[in-house]
Amino acid sequence: LSLPGRDVLDPPVIAPGSGSYHGPLEVTVKESNPGAEIRYTLDGSVPGPSDKLYKEPIAINQTTIVRARAYKEGLTRSITTQEVFAVGP
């Protein structure tokens, strides 16, 4: 049984997962719904439709909170996913 209304997008997947890293890394974000746009932030704020559009891996070289959300016309936006990367020596 489902509730009435528009279908909701699946949340994007951020990889690798949260953790402590000893040097710079690249983070990828994948959408689970073909054609969905992924918007992301690096400051811990909730991504909105005008935030940065994900197009390529994100270079992380300091402790960062990556948050991402999927958007697609005609569907309800996804929930926000988040991973925390602690980068240090």
Side-chain angles (χ1 to χ4, degrees):
L1 184 69
S2 65
L3 297 173
R6 300 189 303 181
D7 288 338
V8 178
L9 288 166
D10 292 326
V13 176
I14 301 171
S18 293
S20 295
Y21 296 87
H22 293 290
L25 66 144
E26 284 196 338
V27 173
T28 60
V29 185
K30 295 189 182 319
E31 35 86 353
S32 302
N33 300 89
E37 285 187 344
I38 296 176
R39 300 290 175 160
Y40 71 95
T41 61
L42 302 176
D43 63 1
S45 63
V46 174
S50 61
D51 281 307
K52 193 161 175 94
L53 177 65
Y54 178 81
K55 293 182 180 181
E56 59 190 9
I58 304 163
I60 303 292
N61 58 18
Q62 62 185 4
T63 298
T64 303
I65 299 171
V66 177
R67 298 186 88 187
R69 181 182 260 178
Y71 291 86
K72 187 173 181 181
E73 186 67 37
L75 298 173
T76 299
R77 68 181 183 250
S78 74
I79 62 168
T80 300
T81 55
Q82 166 181 300
E83 299 292 344
V84 179
F85 302 97
V87 179

